[in-house]
Amino acid sequence: MAVTGTVSSVQMVLLFQDGVDGKGNVKLAKKVYKNVAKTAKPEDVYEVAKALADLQMLSLAGVQHIIANDLAE
């Protein structure tokens, strides 16, 4: 059985450090950018994320490049 995957959506998520909670754990805030080009390379996504993070007040804690695939036989 051969299964193929077709990219259905791509998102970029920026994670920002938003202080600490009462137990000293880091709180994260996130900003999700949907409809990222399906052909976007990880390096390009990261560069855009860094540029957008420079416009924010909070410190960038991480970047996620989420690719969803529809699977079929």
Side-chain angles (χ1 to χ4, degrees), residues 14-52:
L14 278 63
L15 301 170
F16 296 99
Q17 185 173 349
D18 192 16
V20 293
D21 64 12
K23 296 181 181 179
N25 298 317
V26 175
K27 293 190 317 183
L28 294 176
K30 67 180 176 178
K31 176 66 178 163
V32 179
Y33 294 90
K34 299 180 179 183
N35 298 321
V36 173
K38 294 176 183 177
T39 57
K41 297 176 186 168
E43 300 85 15
D44 296 333
V45 171
Y46 189 74
E47 288 300 317
V48 170
K50 286 194 327 185
L52 290 171

Side-chain angles (χ1 to χ4, degrees), residues 5-11 36 38 65-71:
T6 304
V7 176
S8 59
S9 67
V10 179
Q11 297 180 4
V36 173
K38 294 176 183 177
H65 183 207
I66 302 172
I67 302 170
N69 285 291
D70 289 334
L71 303 177

